[in-house]
Amino acid sequence: MPQTLSIVYSTDENYVKLTAVSMASLLAHNPGARVTVLTNGVRPASCAFLRALCERLGGTFAALDVADALKRLEAQGANGYVSYSTYARLFIPRLLPDAARVVYLDSDTLVNGDLSPLLGLDLDGKPLALAYDCLRVEYRKMIGLPLTAPYHNAGVMVLDCAACRRDRVTERVLAAVHDSPALALFADQDLIARTLGRDGDVAPLPPAYNFLAHYEMFRSRDDVLKIMAIPPEVWFSSADYAAARAHPLVYHFAGHTLGRPWYRESKHPVRPLYRRFARLAGVPEAAEQSRPLDPCYRVQHLCWKLLPNALFVQACRALYRFFYWKAYGV
């Protein structure tokens, strides 16, 4: 019997509509998927809306309330810079004891293809797979991560739940909450980097499954390495990056590069697609919010549009370097 694709989201009330849009795109490309939503303060009516949407589009739905566990983490001093709901993904191996392999998706994603190949992705005995992130070298220093260690983006995760329990993934990451540097911004993602990533316990996820907004502008692997000063041994191959740019399978709108596509002012090329899935989800208003593009990103966008690529790479490298100096003094 073929294995059913099992997808997990985590949301609070503020992100319900974005979760709905992502779910609509998921089920359009992966009919019959099993969807579990980890909820933190989500109203019963919102939960009922997500259930009805999932079932209308041919999926099966379950919701698990994780509010109490997240409150305990907050009391322990965990960083809630974005939302404490982000920590819920760490509890997946405990919450789904009967699941074999699970794919976690952030709410700010848009699925653009078949995710069933992730059911057979070779994890090489490791408990989970994540794609590399492209944060600059200064951020790695800020969180105390060796430059030779990889830094991953946790917005899309493939988890072997039994291996996660075997290797005590949840316990190891949460134990690092007390050691997290004050400047660390990305909550459990930083903790994963400083524990599992540093220890070599994360398998590589191809970038097509976690296609960040920056990648729309960065034409080649070499461009990324130059702009972000990333050691080449802890980033994707040229072939994997080229394949991702040719056909992204999961768009992930982390950060405000190009403007997130639910804002009318967004410059992201998939905004029309995002609006279509917002209509399919029954929340067209979710794609008509307003937030002007920040000045630094307006400059970056103009450089991308007007400069030859070689000059854009130099300008972009200088912009990111200036940002870290101005924001963090590094």
Side-chain angles (χ1 to χ4, degrees), residues 178-242:
H178 304 291
D179 301 324
S180 181
L183 283 175
L185 299 180
F186 297 111
D188 59 315
Q189 181 171 286
D190 291 340
L191 300 181
I192 290 170
R194 297 175 68 242
T195 54
L196 308 177
R198 185 185 58 198
D199 295 344
D201 287 338
V202 179
L205 179 68
Y209 292 102
N210 192 346
F211 194 80
L212 301 176
H214 312 65
Y215 301 162
E216 295 288 343
M217 297 185 292
F218 301 164
R219 296 183 184 179
S220 71
R221 176 182 189 261
D222 286 346
D223 288 352
V224 178
L225 298 183
K226 290 175 184 176
I227 292 168
M228 297 299 191
I230 299 171
E233 63 270 21
V234 290
W235 216 67
F236 302 112
S237 70
S238 294
D240 281 347
Y241 186 64

Coordinates of all heavy atoms in Angstrom, one line a residue, residues 178-242:
H178 N 18.3 27.5 27.1 CA 19.0 28.3 28.2 C 20.3 28.9 27.7 O 20.8 29.8 28.4 CB 19.2 27.4 29.4 CG 17.9 26.8 29.9 ND1 16.9 27.6 30.4 CD2 17.4 25.6 29.9 CE1 15.8 26.8 30.8 NE2 16.1 25.6 30.4
D179 N 20.9 28.3 26.6 CA 22.2 28.8 26.2 C 22.1 29.7 25.0 O 23.1 30.0 24.4 CB 23.1 27.6 25.8 CG 23.3 26.6 27.0 OD1 23.4 27.2 28.1 OD2 23.3 25.4 26.8
S180 N 20.9 30.0 24.6 CA 20.7 30.8 23.3 C 21.2 32.2 23.5 O 20.8 32.9 24.4 CB 19.2 30.8 22.9 OG 19.0 31.5 21.7
P181 N 22.1 32.7 22.6 CA 22.5 34.1 22.7 C 21.4 35.1 22.6 O 20.4 34.8 21.9 CB 23.5 34.2 21.5 CG 23.8 32.8 21.1 CD 22.7 32.0 21.4
A182 N 21.5 36.2 23.3 CA 20.5 37.2 23.3 C 20.2 37.7 21.9 O 19.0 38.1 21.6 CB 20.9 38.3 24.2
L183 N 21.2 37.8 21.0 CA 21.0 38.3 19.7 C 20.3 37.3 18.7 O 20.0 37.7 17.6 CB 22.3 38.8 19.1 CG 22.8 40.2 19.6 CD1 24.2 40.4 19.1 CD2 21.9 41.3 19.3
A184 N 20.2 36.1 19.1 CA 19.7 35.1 18.2 C 18.2 35.4 17.8 O 17.4 35.6 18.7 CB 19.7 33.7 18.8
L185 N 17.9 35.5 16.5 CA 16.6 36.0 16.1 C 15.6 34.9 15.7 O 14.4 35.1 15.8 CB 16.8 37.0 14.9 CG 17.6 38.2 15.1 CD1 17.6 39.0 13.8 CD2 17.0 39.1 16.2
F186 N 16.1 33.8 15.3 CA 15.3 32.8 14.6 C 15.0 31.6 15.5 O 14.8 30.5 15.0 CB 15.9 32.4 13.3 CG 16.0 33.6 12.3 CD1 17.3 34.1 12.0 CD2 14.9 34.2 11.8 CE1 17.4 35.2 11.2 CE2 15.0 35.3 11.0 CZ 16.2 35.8 10.6
A187 N 14.9 31.8 16.8 CA 14.3 30.9 17.7 C 14.8 29.5 17.6 O 16.0 29.2 17.6 CB 12.8 31.0 17.6
D188 N 13.9 28.5 17.3 CA 14.3 27.1 17.3 C 15.2 26.8 16.1 O 16.0 25.9 16.1 CB 13.1 26.2 17.3 CG 12.2 26.5 16.1 OD1 11.9 27.7 15.8 OD2 11.7 25.5 15.5
Q189 N 15.1 27.6 15.0 CA 16.0 27.4 13.9 C 17.5 27.6 14.3 O 18.3 26.8 13.9 CB 15.6 28.4 12.8 CG 16.5 28.3 11.5 CD 15.9 29.1 10.4 OE1 14.9 28.8 9.8 NE2 16.5 30.2 10.1
D190 N 17.7 28.6 15.1 CA 19.1 28.9 15.6 C 19.5 27.7 16.5 O 20.6 27.3 16.5 CB 19.2 30.2 16.4 CG 19.0 31.4 15.4 OD1 19.2 31.2 14.2 OD2 18.7 32.5 15.9
L191 N 18.5 27.3 17.4 CA 18.9 26.2 18.3 C 19.2 24.9 17.5 O 20.1 24.1 17.9 CB 17.7 25.9 19.2 CG 17.3 27.1 20.1 CD1 16.1 26.7 21.0 CD2 18.4 27.6 21.0
I192 N 18.5 24.6 16.4 CA 18.8 23.5 15.6 C 20.2 23.6 15.0 O 20.9 22.6 15.0 CB 17.7 23.3 14.5 CG1 16.3 22.9 15.1 CG2 18.1 22.3 13.4 CD1 15.2 23.0 14.1
A193 N 20.5 24.8 14.6 CA 21.9 25.0 14.0 C 22.9 24.7 15.0 O 24.0 24.1 14.7 CB 22.0 26.4 13.5
R194 N 22.7 25.1 16.3 CA 23.8 25.0 17.3 C 23.8 23.7 18.0 O 24.7 23.4 18.8 CB 23.5 26.1 18.3 CG 23.7 27.5 17.7 CD 23.4 28.7 18.7 NE 24.4 28.7 19.8 CZ 24.1 28.6 21.1 NH1 22.9 28.3 21.4 NH2 25.0 28.7 21.9
T195 N 22.8 22.8 17.6 CA 22.8 21.4 18.2 C 22.9 20.4 17.1 O 24.0 19.9 16.8 CB 21.6 21.2 19.1 OG1 20.4 21.5 18.3 CG2 21.6 22.1 20.3
L196 N 21.8 20.1 16.4 CA 21.8 19.1 15.4 C 22.7 19.4 14.2 O 23.4 18.5 13.7 CB 20.3 18.9 14.9 CG 19.3 18.7 16.0 CD1 17.9 18.6 15.4 CD2 19.6 17.4 16.8
G197 N 22.6 20.7 13.7 CA 23.4 21.0 12.5 C 24.9 20.9 12.8 O 25.7 20.4 12.1
R198 N 25.3 21.5 14.0 CA 26.7 21.4 14.4 C 27.2 20.0 14.5 O 28.4 19.7 14.3 CB 26.9 22.3 15.6 CG 28.4 22.4 16.1 CD 28.4 23.1 17.4 NE 27.6 22.4 18.4 CZ 27.2 22.9 19.6 NH1 27.4 24.2 19.9 NH2 26.5 22.2 20.5
D199 N 26.3 19.1 15.0 CA 26.7 17.7 15.3 C 26.6 16.8 14.1 O 26.8 15.6 14.2 CB 25.9 17.2 16.4 CG 26.1 17.9 17.8 OD1 27.2 18.6 17.9 OD2 25.3 17.8 18.7
G200 N 26.2 17.4 12.9 CA 26.1 16.6 11.7 C 24.9 15.7 11.7 O 24.9 14.6 11.0
D201 N 23.8 16.0 12.4 CA 22.6 15.2 12.5 C 21.5 15.6 11.5 O 20.4 15.2 11.7 CB 22.1 15.1 13.9 CG 23.0 14.3 14.8 OD1 23.8 13.5 14.3 OD2 23.0 14.5 16.0
V202 N 21.8 16.4 10.5 CA 20.8 16.9 9.6 C 21.2 16.5 8.2 O 22.3 16.8 7.7 CB 20.6 18.4 9.7 CG1 19.6 18.9 8.7 CG2 20.2 18.9 11.1
A203 N 20.2 15.8 7.5 CA 20.4 15.4 6.1 C 20.1 16.6 5.2 O 19.2 17.4 5.6 CB 19.6 14.2 5.8
P204 N 20.7 16.7 4.0 CA 20.4 17.9 3.2 C 19.1 17.7 2.4 O 18.8 16.6 1.9 CB 21.6 17.9 2.2 CG 22.1 16.5 2.2 CD 21.8 15.9 3.5
L205 N 18.3 18.7 2.4 CA 17.0 18.8 1.7 C 17.3 19.6 0.4 O 17.8 20.8 0.6 CB 15.9 19.4 2.5 CG 14.5 19.6 1.9 CD1 13.9 18.2 1.6 CD2 13.6 20.4 2.8
P206 N 17.0 19.2 -0.8 CA 17.2 20.0 -2.0 C 16.5 21.3 -1.9 O 15.4 21.4 -1.4 CB 16.6 19.1 -3.1 CG 16.7 17.7 -2.6 CD 16.4 17.8 -1.1
P207 N 17.2 22.4 -2.4 CA 16.6 23.7 -2.3 C 15.3 23.9 -3.0 O 14.5 24.9 -2.7 CB 17.7 24.6 -2.9 CG 18.5 23.7 -3.8 CD 18.5 22.4 -3.1
A208 N 15.0 23.0 -4.0 CA 13.7 23.2 -4.6 C 12.5 23.0 -3.7 O 11.4 23.5 -3.9 CB 13.5 22.1 -5.7
Y209 N 12.7 22.3 -2.5 CA 11.7 22.1 -1.5 C 11.6 23.2 -0.5 O 10.8 23.2 0.4 CB 11.8 20.8 -0.9 CG 11.6 19.6 -1.8 CD1 12.7 18.9 -2.3 CD2 10.3 19.2 -2.1 CE1 12.4 17.8 -3.1 CE2 10.1 18.2 -3.0 CZ 11.2 17.4 -3.5 OH 10.9 16.4 -4.3
N210 N 12.5 24.2 -0.6 CA 12.5 25.3 0.3 C 13.2 26.5 -0.4 O 14.3 26.9 -0.1 CB 13.2 25.0 1.6 CG 13.0 26.1 2.7 OD1 12.5 27.1 2.5 ND2 13.4 25.7 3.9
F211 N 12.4 27.1 -1.4 CA 12.9 28.1 -2.3 C 12.7 29.4 -1.7 O 11.6 30.0 -1.7 CB 12.3 27.9 -3.6 CG 13.0 28.7 -4.7 CD1 14.1 28.2 -5.3 CD2 12.5 29.9 -5.1 CE1 14.8 28.9 -6.3 CE2 13.1 30.6 -6.2 CZ 14.3 30.1 -6.8
L212 N 13.7 30.0 -1.1 CA 13.6 31.3 -0.4 C 13.5 32.5 -1.4 O 13.9 32.4 -2.6 CB 14.8 31.5 0.5 CG 15.0 30.5 1.6 CD1 16.3 30.8 2.3 CD2 13.9 30.4 2.5
A213 N 12.9 33.6 -1.0 CA 12.6 34.7 -1.8 C 13.9 35.3 -2.4 O 13.9 35.7 -3.6 CB 11.9 35.8 -1.1
H214 N 15.0 35.2 -1.7 CA 16.3 35.7 -2.2 C 16.7 35.0 -3.5 O 17.3 35.6 -4.4 CB 17.4 35.5 -1.2 CG 17.2 35.8 0.2 ND1 16.2 35.2 0.9 CD2 17.8 36.7 1.0 CE1 16.2 35.8 2.2 NE2 17.1 36.7 2.2
Y215 N 16.3 33.8 -3.6 CA 16.8 33.0 -4.8 C 16.2 33.4 -6.1 O 16.7 33.1 -7.2 CB 16.5 31.5 -4.6 CG 17.1 30.9 -3.3 CD1 16.6 29.7 -2.8 CD2 18.1 31.5 -2.6 CE1 17.2 29.1 -1.6 CE2 18.7 31.0 -1.5 CZ 18.2 29.8 -1.0 OH 18.7 29.2 0.1
E216 N 15.1 34.2 -6.1 CA 14.6 34.8 -7.3 C 15.6 35.7 -7.9 O 15.7 35.8 -9.2 CB 13.3 35.6 -7.0 CG 12.1 34.8 -6.5 CD 11.5 33.9 -7.6 OE1 11.8 34.1 -8.8 OE2 10.8 33.0 -7.2
M217 N 16.5 36.3 -7.1 CA 17.4 37.3 -7.6 C 18.8 36.8 -7.8 O 19.6 37.3 -8.6 CB 17.5 38.5 -6.7 CG 16.2 39.3 -6.5 SD 16.4 40.8 -5.5 CE 16.6 40.0 -3.9
F218 N 19.2 35.8 -7.1 CA 20.6 35.2 -7.1 C 20.7 34.2 -8.1 O 20.2 33.0 -8.0 CB 20.9 34.7 -5.7 CG 20.9 35.7 -4.6 CD1 20.9 35.3 -3.3 CD2 20.8 37.0 -4.8 CE1 20.8 36.2 -2.2 CE2 20.7 38.0 -3.8 CZ 20.7 37.5 -2.5
R219 N 21.3 34.5 -9.2 CA 21.2 33.6 -10.4 C 22.0 32.3 -10.3 O 21.6 31.3 -11.0 CB 21.7 34.4 -11.6 CG 20.9 35.6 -12.0 CD 21.4 36.3 -13.2 NE 20.7 37.5 -13.5 CZ 21.0 38.3 -14.5 NH1 21.9 38.0 -15.4 NH2 20.2 39.4 -14.7
S220 N 23.1 32.3 -9.6 CA 23.9 31.1 -9.5 C 24.4 30.9 -8.1 O 24.3 31.8 -7.2 CB 25.1 31.2 -10.4 OG 26.0 32.2 -9.9
R221 N 24.9 29.7 -7.9 CA 25.5 29.3 -6.6 C 26.6 30.3 -6.3 O 26.8 30.7 -5.1 CB 26.0 27.9 -6.6 CG 26.7 27.4 -5.3 CD 27.2 26.0 -5.5 NE 27.7 25.4 -4.3 CZ 29.0 25.4 -4.0 NH1 29.9 25.9 -4.9 NH2 29.4 24.8 -2.9
D222 N 27.4 30.6 -7.2 CA 28.6 31.4 -7.0 C 28.1 32.8 -6.6 O 28.8 33.5 -5.7 CB 29.4 31.6 -8.3 CG 30.2 30.3 -8.6 OD1 30.4 29.5 -7.6 OD2 30.7 30.2 -9.7
D223 N 27.0 33.3 -7.1 CA 26.5 34.6 -6.7 C 26.1 34.6 -5.2 O 26.4 35.5 -4.5 CB 25.3 35.0 -7.5 CG 25.6 35.4 -9.0 OD1 26.8 35.5 -9.3 OD2 24.6 35.5 -9.7
V224 N 25.5 33.5 -4.8 CA 25.1 33.4 -3.4 C 26.3 33.4 -2.5 O 26.3 34.1 -1.5 CB 24.2 32.1 -3.2 CG1 23.8 32.0 -1.7 CG2 22.9 32.2 -4.0
L225 N 27.3 32.6 -2.8 CA 28.5 32.5 -2.0 C 29.2 33.8 -1.9 O 29.7 34.1 -0.8 CB 29.4 31.4 -2.6 CG 28.9 30.0 -2.6 CD1 29.9 29.0 -3.1 CD2 28.3 29.5 -1.3
K226 N 29.2 34.6 -3.0 CA 29.9 35.9 -3.0 C 29.1 36.9 -2.1 O 29.7 37.6 -1.3 CB 30.1 36.4 -4.4 CG 31.1 35.7 -5.2 CD 31.1 36.2 -6.6 CE 32.0 35.4 -7.5 NZ 32.0 35.8 -8.9
I227 N 27.8 36.9 -2.3 CA 27.0 37.9 -1.6 C 26.9 37.6 -0.1 O 27.0 38.6 0.7 CB 25.5 37.9 -2.2 CG1 25.5 38.5 -3.6 CG2 24.6 38.7 -1.3 CD1 24.3 38.2 -4.4
M228 N 26.8 36.4 0.3 CA 26.6 36.0 1.7 C 27.8 35.5 2.4 O 27.8 35.3 3.6 CB 25.5 34.9 1.7 CG 24.1 35.4 1.2 SD 23.5 36.8 2.2 CE 21.8 36.9 1.6
A229 N 28.9 35.4 1.7 CA 30.2 35.0 2.3 C 30.1 33.6 3.0 O 30.5 33.4 4.1 CB 30.8 36.0 3.2
I230 N 29.4 32.7 2.3 CA 29.1 31.4 2.9 C 30.2 30.4 2.4 O 30.6 30.4 1.3 CB 27.8 30.8 2.4 CG1 26.6 31.7 2.8 CG2 27.5 29.4 2.9 CD1 25.3 31.4 2.2
P231 N 30.8 29.6 3.4 CA 31.8 28.6 3.0 C 31.1 27.6 2.0 O 30.0 27.1 2.3 CB 32.1 27.9 4.3 CG 31.8 28.9 5.4 CD 30.6 29.7 4.8
P232 N 31.7 27.3 0.9 CA 31.1 26.5 -0.1 C 30.8 25.1 0.3 O 29.8 24.5 -0.2 CB 32.1 26.5 -1.3 CG 33.4 26.9 -0.7 CD 33.1 27.8 0.4
E233 N 31.5 24.6 1.3 CA 31.3 23.2 1.8 C 30.0 23.1 2.6 O 29.6 21.9 2.9 CB 32.5 22.7 2.6 CG 32.8 23.5 3.9 CD 33.7 24.6 3.7 OE1 33.8 25.1 2.5 OE2 34.3 25.0 4.7
V234 N 29.4 24.2 3.0 CA 28.1 24.1 3.8 C 27.0 24.8 3.0 O 26.2 25.4 3.6 CB 28.3 24.7 5.2 CG1 29.2 23.8 6.0 CG2 28.9 26.1 5.1
W235 N 27.0 24.6 1.7 CA 25.9 25.1 0.9 C 25.6 24.1 -0.3 O 26.4 23.2 -0.5 CB 26.1 26.5 0.4 CG 24.8 27.3 0.4 CD1 24.1 27.6 1.5 CD2 24.1 27.7 -0.7 NE1 23.0 28.3 1.1 CE2 22.9 28.4 -0.2 CE3 24.3 27.7 -2.1 CZ2 22.0 28.9 -1.1 CZ3 23.4 28.3 -2.9 CH2 22.2 28.9 -2.4
F236 N 24.6 24.4 -1.1 CA 24.2 23.5 -2.1 C 25.2 23.4 -3.3 O 26.0 24.3 -3.5 CB 22.8 24.0 -2.7 CG 21.7 24.1 -1.7 CD1 21.2 25.3 -1.4 CD2 21.2 23.0 -1.1 CE1 20.2 25.4 -0.5 CE2 20.1 23.1 -0.2 CZ 19.6 24.3 0.1
S237 N 25.1 22.4 -4.0 CA 25.8 22.3 -5.3 C 25.2 23.2 -6.3 O 24.1 23.6 -6.3 CB 25.9 20.8 -5.8 OG 24.6 20.5 -6.3
S238 N 26.0 23.5 -7.3 CA 25.5 24.3 -8.5 C 24.4 23.6 -9.2 O 23.4 24.3 -9.5 CB 26.7 24.6 -9.5 OG 27.7 25.3 -8.9
A239 N 24.4 22.3 -9.3 CA 23.4 21.6 -10.0 C 22.1 21.6 -9.2 O 21.0 21.9 -9.8 CB 23.8 20.1 -10.2
D240 N 22.1 21.4 -7.9 CA 20.9 21.5 -7.1 C 20.3 22.9 -7.1 O 19.1 23.0 -7.2 CB 21.2 21.1 -5.6 CG 21.4 19.6 -5.5 OD1 20.9 18.8 -6.4 OD2 21.9 19.1 -4.4
Y241 N 21.1 23.9 -7.0 CA 20.6 25.2 -7.0 C 20.0 25.6 -8.4 O 18.9 26.2 -8.4 CB 21.7 26.2 -6.7 CG 21.2 27.6 -6.5 CD1 20.3 28.0 -5.5 CD2 21.6 28.7 -7.3 CE1 19.8 29.3 -5.3 CE2 21.1 30.0 -7.2 CZ 20.3 30.2 -6.2 OH 19.8 31.5 -6.0
A242 N 20.6 25.2 -9.4 CA 20.1 25.5 -10.8 C 18.7 24.7 -11.0 O 17.8 25.3 -11.5 CB 21.1 25.0 -11.9

